[in-house]
């Protein structure tokens, strides 16, 4: 790989939810900056792996469920077996693209619980599974994914907005606990990003124009818009930052 970015040379990263969309962009960016990457998802991340290898990057693919602790522990074990260490965890996996926009009284208890289980408990469980390896490496960086909807109070997705607000709180609480281990934990809060799933979703196709109109930078957001901030948080460039949430939404929320 002929690359100019060497800031993650020698580092090892796990990206959850990396079979497509923003997660794939994160995995490609990490590999492009020199990291060896475990690409994880609930389905085989075949295409993401192929793209990394086309660029002569090093990666393994692991099928894992972030709500299942043995599955997560196996993911971390496979990463250590392949690459010997773990330095970076990007908690990208979440429920979003399949959710329909509806008033909160119309959200079923079952759907509410599913969103909280995946988006909040899943992130927490993944951090728990990765913690021993991060400690063994002498520290590292965790990048959580929140959402700009948390700061806007966006309507019609109450369960999703609440789950991503919980990620901000979790990030702050764990920053206090993990600081002594030299493990930093920060979050990215994207606005609406036009992944393939989002483009195919009727609700978001209808809402997109109004969202773009509220941005200071009035254009669609694409997955690659998120990778610069992710690399900053994953690398030593942000070595004295922890507990922070950075909004990347084109200037809707000025946080």
């Amino acid at each position: 790989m002929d690359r100019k970015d060497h800031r993650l040379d020698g580092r090892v990263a796990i990206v959850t939810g990396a079979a497509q969309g923003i997660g794939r962009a994160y995995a490609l960016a990490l590999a492009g900056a020199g990291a060896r990457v475990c690409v994880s998802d609930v389905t085989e991340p075949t295409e993401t792996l192929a793209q990394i290898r086309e660029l002569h990057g090093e990666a393994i693919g692991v099928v894992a469920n972030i709500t299942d602790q043995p599955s997560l522990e196996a993911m971390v074990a496979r990463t250590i077996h392949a690459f010997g260490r773990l330095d970076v965890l990007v908690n990208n996996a979440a429920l979003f693209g399949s959710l329909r926009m509806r008033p909160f009284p119309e959200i079923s208890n079952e759907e509410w619980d599913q969103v909280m289980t995946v988006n909040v408990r899943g992130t927490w469980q993944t951090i728990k599974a990765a913690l021993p390896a991060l400690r063994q490496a002498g520290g590292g960086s965790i990048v959580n994914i929140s959402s700009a909807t948390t700061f806007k109070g966006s309507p019609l997705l109450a369960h999703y907005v609440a789950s991503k607000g919980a990620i901000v709180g979790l990030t702050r609480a764990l920053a206090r606990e993990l600081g002594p281990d030299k493990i930093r934990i920060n979050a990215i809060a994207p606005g609406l990003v036009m992944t393939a799933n989002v483009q195919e979703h009727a609700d978001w196709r209808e809402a997109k124009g109004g969202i773009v109109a509220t941005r200071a930078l009035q254009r669609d957001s694409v997955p690659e818009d998120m990778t610069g901030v992710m690399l900053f948080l994953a690398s030593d460039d942000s070595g004295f930052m922890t507990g922070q949430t950075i909004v990347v939404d084109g200037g809707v929320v000025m946080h």
Side-chain angles (χ1 to χ4, degrees):
M1 187 187 302
D2 182 18
R3 54 188 174 80
K4 298 178 181 178
D5 191 344
H6 295 271
R7 69 184 118 169
L8 292 175
D9 282 358
R11 308 286 177 88
V12 175
I14 290 175
V15 184
T16 65
Q20 59 185 346
I22 304 174
R24 177 180 293 169
Y26 289 148
L28 287 165
L30 288 162
R36 293 168 290 171
V37 186
C38 171
V39 178
S40 176
D41 212 311
V42 292
T43 59
E44 288 284 354
T46 307
E47 183 60 30
T48 304
L49 278 177
Q51 290 187 27
I52 290 174
R53 289 167 180 167
E54 283 175 11
L55 298 171
H56 307 291
E58 290 187 62
I60 60 169
V62 177
V63 175
N65 182 342
I66 65 169
T67 66
D68 180 75
Q69 202 67 30
S71 176
L72 289 169
E73 290 169 1
M75 173 188 74
V76 175
R78 285 193 58 187
T79 303
I80 299 303
H81 178 75
F83 301 131
R85 59 185 294 129
L86 177 63
D87 305 279
V88 176
L89 170 64
V90 180
N91 281 311
N92 175 69
L95 284 179
F96 172 67
S98 62
L99 301 176
R100 295 304 307 266
M101 298 176 72
R102 53 172 63 94
F104 79 88
E106 298 178 15
I107 298 172
S108 69
N109 291 351
E110 292 75 18
E111 186 172 295
W112 180 278
D113 289 346
Q114 183 186 27
V115 169
M116 292 299 168
T117 297
V118 175
N119 293 6
V120 184
R121 200 189 84 196
T123 295
W124 169 69
Q125 283 188 242
T126 307
I127 294 168
K128 281 204 302 178
L131 182 57
L134 291 167
R135 282 176 168 157
Q136 182 65 33
S141 175
I142 299 169
V143 182
N144 289 335
I145 309 301
S146 180
S147 171
T149 59
T150 291
F151 302 99
K152 294 192 296 182
S154 300
L156 305 180
L157 280 172
H159 46 358
Y160 179 77
V161 175
S163 74
K164 290 303 186 175
I167 295 300
V168 174
L170 181 67
T171 298
R172 292 172 178 171
L174 296 190
R176 299 284 184 188
E177 292 194 40
L178 298 177
D181 293 309
K182 299 181 181 178
I183 298 170
R184 300 180 300 104
I185 178 166
N186 295 286
I188 303 170
L192 181 65
V193 179
M194 298 310 293
T195 63
N197 281 346
V198 169
Q199 292 180 53
E200 294 168 3
H201 197 297
D203 290 347
W204 290 117
R205 283 201 306 271
E206 292 177 13
K208 183 186 77 165
I211 292 171
V212 171
T214 65
R215 293 174 174 163
L217 305 173
Q218 293 190 356
R219 65 165 176 83
D220 285 349
S221 175
V222 296
E224 289 73 22
D225 289 324
M226 304 300 126
T227 58
V229 172
M230 182 277 297
L231 290 174
F232 169 70
L233 293 177
S235 71
D236 293 339
D237 289 352
S238 58
F240 200 53
M241 277 182 63
T242 194
Q244 306 304 310
T245 299
I246 300 176
V247 177
V248 187
D249 72 347
V252 179
V253 174
M254 298 191 180
H255 165 66

